[in-house]
Amino acid sequence: MPKKILLVEDQAILAMTESKMIEKYGYSVETALTGEKAVSIVENNSDIDLVLMDINLGHGMDGTEAARAILKKRSLPIIFLSSYTDPEVVKKTESITAYGYVVKNTGETVLINAIKMAFRLHASFKNEQESEARFRSMVEHSPDPMFIHTNFILVYLNAASRRLFGASSNEEVLDTSILDRIDPAYHREAINRINTMVKSHQAISKRIEQEYIRLDGSRVWVEVSGIPIYFKGELGILTTVREIHERKLREQQIQESRESLRITLNSIGDGVISTDIHGNVVRMNPIAEELTGWTISEAKGKKLEEIFQIQNAFSRETSPNPVARVIETGETVGLNNHTILISRTGQEHQIADSAAPIKDSSGTISGVVLVFRDVTEEYRKNRELRESRDYLNAVLSSIQDGVSVLDTNLNITYVNPVMEKRHRHMMPLVGKKCHYTYHNSDQICRPCPSQRCLLSGKTEKDVIQVSAEGEKEPEWVEVYSYPLRDRETGKMQGVIEFVRNITERKKAEDRLIDAVEEKELLMKELNHRVKNNLAIISSLLQIETARLGSQLDLSDIISRIDAIRIIHEKLYQSDKITHIQLGDYIQDLLETVFSSFSDRPIRIDNRIGNITVKTKPAVSLGLIVNEIAVNAIKHGFTTDKEAVFSVSLEENADSYYYMTLSNTGRPFPENVDIHNPASLGLQLVGTLVEQLNGSLDIQKSPQPVFRLKLSLKD
């Protein structure tokens, strides 16, 4: 029994041609004009052995979507056919199937060899599936949870995984997202890791820790690793899991204990050291221990200056002992600015605050308490703030756009060098009104995006034409006004104005508009030439018909050529280059057909109206009308009745068009099956109706009435 091939091609005539070519090599061929039809055929016919899939299938599914849908139904070899050779298009198909990509018109030898190779590859793939079955048996009985997901959807899990997720059966978990089982805090890490493995086709050896969510909502800590594998024709991830819940609980308990201790130790923010009257250390709190590097047990009884070594940050000279000064003066003494405390380990801390006397009830000094705090971070932030200001100023100075900062009254408070250079004749700029400085006007400019920004609190933009100092021609500038707000209150404090010279861009846009107009003229000329060439072909066929007389009748071919020629004639006469007015086109087509095929007058009842469609479906519809009109001339009209041909077209709410064509005269022969006709003309009508995703019905008597349901969207 020959192997059966499903050919998916939206061009009906091409599908007929390709089917006959493939059948010459002993294959059976079935065709589908849409991706949806192809999926339905595979689903309902188990005898399909291979699919030849066109990528561009018009409306509905494209070839890649149809291929994915088919592979979900059955494991079939799929070869893509396309006229595209772009690397992006080819790469798009590689993630779907590995059976081949054949460029159209490369010849039947290439296509047939590709088909043979695909069958061989598929046979090899079946052998791999048997190996996969053995692999699955090992995975199923593994004591470690193992599962597979494709596109983040769980498609397989072993018994250990069911226990891990708290499921009584596979159905409770399969076809759900793996992200449903992962705590959302780990989603980004999981998604990035999975995407990396899918793109690289390589495993990531490093195991990561995550928290899984069971079906009952409880959580469990796990350690996971993954490797990309193919499962039922799709690339997925095999994940191996190791439960570490008990270990994580112990780690969390330790961490919580440490955090509690840290909070307690840090509850007192300042370092405190107390001494006796001789300057010997009596007490220290934990902050003081941290900053000095001494514990209280080590420091107790030692002289303060031994453990509390302070220097001037700039001169590096030893600073006076604050305890000695307090004992000497009896007053509170503040430390000098820029004092550094050098710890026992040599670490330096910027410190501040003071030393005060400890007095007994009689007012006698019995000791000194030294309270100090680490201001290293404050010094660092102040330094970073200065550096940030310097950095911001450098950035604004390097920007090639002009930058101005305006207050709420449109006074300039800052400008970068670009603005200074642009308006050097008005220097200094700071302190002046922007409209006076930049536009030499006492009034606020119209338009003024900065004023609108102050009112709306939103970014505003305008393109303005200005006259630059020393320039002969006006320039175009693009102005962005960005609101400047107080971070705490949100109140408007001013506007940051960015000014970009777009004169060259405006000129380029003007050139682009001219180029588009030139392209439209070229397209009209192309349609004119195609129309003339088709007219020449039609004339040559008419001459050949006249020469051969009754030996050869080419009138049907001539009428079909004229149907296409009139399309290009209409496009040449129209302002549009992709759409055509259907009523006028059908009228001209019918007048041409009737004047060419009939000597008697035929009245045309055209009720199409003002309907515009794209050129591609219009060609198909024109050929349908041509065939039915020629059929009316040859077999319909009688001499005893007025010859009338009627045509109407309406668009319904379901986005389909409904066309009715009828003619006076004889009824349509009862013995002719319109859905399985013998004549080429009616076969062509049926094929074109199917290509337009439509249907055809006919009322045969008392006179023929053709009713068509069509989709005229390209």
Side-chain angles (χ1 to χ4, degrees), residues 521-537:
L521 289 174
L522 290 174
M523 287 301 297
K524 289 177 70 68
E525 178 63 21
L526 178 61
N527 282 307
H528 178 62
R529 294 187 180 216
V530 171
K531 180 263 296 184
N532 287 344
N533 289 338
L534 290 173
I536 291 172
I537 294 171

Side-chain angles (χ1 to χ4, degrees), residues 170-430:
N170 285 0
E171 287 70 21
E172 293 183 76
V173 182
L174 289 179
D175 295 326
T176 65
S177 174
I178 181 58
L179 297 179
D180 294 341
R181 306 275 66 84
I182 301 175
D183 186 282
Y186 302 93
H187 278 187
R188 175 175 293 183
E189 179 185 34
I191 291 170
N192 290 339
R193 185 180 176 94
I194 291 169
N195 287 338
T196 299
M197 287 190 284
V198 169
K199 289 179 180 179
S200 66
H201 289 235
Q202 293 182 355
I204 298 179
S205 59
K206 181 182 178 181
R207 302 177 69 89
I208 60 170
E209 295 178 357
Q210 296 176 338
E211 197 170 12
Y212 275 11
I213 304 173
R214 293 190 174 101
L215 292 178
D216 62 2
S218 62
R219 296 169 181 267
V220 58
W221 278 99
V222 296
E223 190 177 65
V224 301
S225 63
I227 182 172
I229 65 170
Y230 278 94
F231 183 81
K232 294 183 178 180
E234 288 196 61
L235 182 62
I237 301 298
L238 172 63
T239 301
T240 304
V241 181
R242 181 183 301 159
E243 189 173 333
I244 57 170
H245 195 67
E246 294 300 325
R247 190 190 82 191
K248 289 297 292 187
L249 287 179
R250 290 194 297 271
E251 290 177 356
Q252 287 180 346
Q253 291 171 353
I254 294 172
Q255 182 62 28
E256 290 172 359
S257 176
R258 289 175 177 173
E259 182 65 13
S260 175
L261 178 60
R262 187 188 68 82
I263 293 173
T264 302
L265 293 176
N266 292 339
S267 60
I268 300 176
D270 293 345
V272 179
I273 301 176
S274 63
T275 70
D276 59 20
I277 190 65
H278 304 293
N280 300 316
V281 175
V282 178
R283 296 181 182 88
M284 295 175 64
N285 74 343
I287 297 297
E289 289 180 324
E290 179 183 350
L291 295 177
T292 62
W294 291 79
T295 64
I296 181 60
S297 60
E298 295 171 326
K300 191 171 184 178
K302 297 184 181 293
K303 292 291 183 179
L304 176 66
E305 55 266 30
E306 186 177 347
I307 66 167
F308 191 71
Q309 300 180 19
I310 53 178
Q311 294 179 353
N312 181 277
F314 301 116
S315 66
R316 290 294 174 170
E317 294 180 356
T318 301
S319 297
N321 186 335
V323 171
R325 291 175 58 193
V326 169
I327 294 174
E328 181 182 346
T329 63
E331 298 177 353
T332 299
V333 175
L335 296 179
N336 295 327
N337 290 332
H338 308 297
T339 297
I340 291 178
L341 169 64
I342 302 176
S343 73
R344 188 180 188 182
T345 60
Q347 187 175 3
E348 297 183 353
H349 302 277
Q350 292 273 358
I351 61 172
D353 278 348
S354 60
I358 301 174
K359 296 181 180 181
D360 58 20
S361 57
S362 63
T364 303
I365 297 176
S366 61
V368 176
V369 59
L370 177 66
V371 181
F372 59 97
R373 58 191 176 92
D374 187 354
V375 294
T376 304
E377 187 66 16
E378 294 179 20
Y379 272 71
R380 185 188 64 79
K381 288 182 178 180
N382 289 334
R383 184 179 67 255
E384 288 181 352
L385 180 59
R386 291 192 303 271
E387 293 173 351
S388 176
R389 287 173 178 170
D390 294 341
Y391 175 77
L392 178 60
N393 187 63
V395 169
L396 293 176
S397 298
S398 65
I399 291 175
Q400 299 305 303
D401 296 336
V403 181
S404 302
V405 179
L406 313 177
D407 64 16
T408 54
N409 295 315
L410 300 180
N411 294 311
I412 302 170
T413 61
Y414 170 85
V415 290
N416 72 341
V418 173
M419 293 301 286
E420 290 179 342
K421 182 178 179 181
R422 184 180 181 88
H423 301 281
R424 54 185 175 273
H425 60 289
M426 295 294 291
M427 291 289 289
L429 307 182
V430 174

